[in-house]
Amino acid sequence: MLKLWGAGLILAAGLYGILLRKRENEARKKQLWKWIELLEAMGSEIRWHHVSLSAFLQRQPITNKVSQYMKSKYTLQQSWVKIINDVGDKEIEEILKNIRFSGDQEYLLASIALAIEQLRDLESNRRQKTAIQEKIQNAAVFSVAGLLIILLL
């Protein structure tokens, strides 16, 4: 009976690992979509001249530090890079750092559109990789748990 408890605990640990990985992937996906939504809204604001870009960034929860950096004598581009350095996801950071706040409106809109496209491609690639990794991880956990149960019996 004790052996079955041990096998059950091993299976539970494996399932817990799967759950943690799934939560991590969901958090990364959510963060990615927040940035996509922010860039889409930014493009719309620029296109229709509703507010200035710095005012728009100041209103957004994930970029509201822009005005603080700009008051500290940083340019808009430098402030953007400082904020992006705190994202915590290197792939997203690299894409967002490529947005340039110089040039005319069309150049900026093209830069934002390119970043949105790259972020969507990243999300698609991650979704495919995650599906494959989940299948492999699930198979490994259940195989190991099954083998341990057989060995313990």
Side-chain angles (χ1 to χ4, degrees):
M1 182 67 172
L2 194 58
K3 292 178 182 180
L4 285 177
W5 275 101
L9 288 174
I10 291 168
L11 180 60
L15 292 174
Y16 181 70
I18 290 172
L19 179 65
L20 287 179
R21 173 70 105 176
K22 193 170 193 93
R23 283 185 183 170
E24 179 184 311
N25 288 337
E26 287 298 319
R28 291 177 70 194
K29 181 179 177 181
K30 189 175 180 179
Q31 181 187 37
L32 185 61
W33 277 106
K34 280 184 181 179
W35 283 104
I36 290 171
E37 290 169 0
L38 175 92
L39 293 179
E40 287 174 341
M42 184 188 304
S44 177
E45 293 286 333
I46 293 168
R47 188 174 293 110
W48 303 112
H49 303 289
H50 291 266
V51 295
S52 71
L53 187 56
S54 58
F56 171 79
L57 292 172
Q58 184 178 359
R59 287 187 308 172
Q60 304 304 313
I62 55 179
T63 58
N64 61 9
K65 293 181 183 177
V66 167
S67 63
Q68 294 171 2
Y69 288 128
M70 290 179 72
K71 288 176 184 173
S72 300
K73 310 265 189 220
Y74 288 103
T75 65
L76 179 58
Q77 186 70 44
Q78 292 168 331
S79 300
W80 176 257
V81 170
K82 285 190 152 299
I83 289 170
I84 299 308
N85 286 334
D86 295 335
V87 169
D89 186 321
K90 296 298 179 196
E91 292 173 302
I92 295 174
E93 287 176 9
E94 289 305 314
I95 292 170
L96 294 175
K97 283 180 183 177
N98 290 330
I99 296 176
R100 299 287 172 237
F101 294 100
S102 58
D104 63 355
Q105 176 181 346
E106 292 304 314
Y107 179 78
L108 180 55
L109 288 171
S111 180
I112 291 170
L114 178 63
I116 291 170
E117 182 180 336
Q118 290 173 338
L119 288 172
R120 286 192 171 142
D121 289 344
L122 177 62
E123 193 276 330
S124 177
N125 291 339
R126 283 183 177 178
R127 190 175 351 107
Q128 291 172 353
K129 287 179 184 177
T130 299
I132 293 168
Q133 287 174 346
E134 282 179 357
K135 287 178 185 177
I136 292 170
Q137 187 178 18
N138 291 345
V141 165
F142 290 119
S143 296
V144 168
L147 285 172
L148 286 172
I149 289 171
I150 291 169
L151 289 173
L152 291 174
L153 294 177

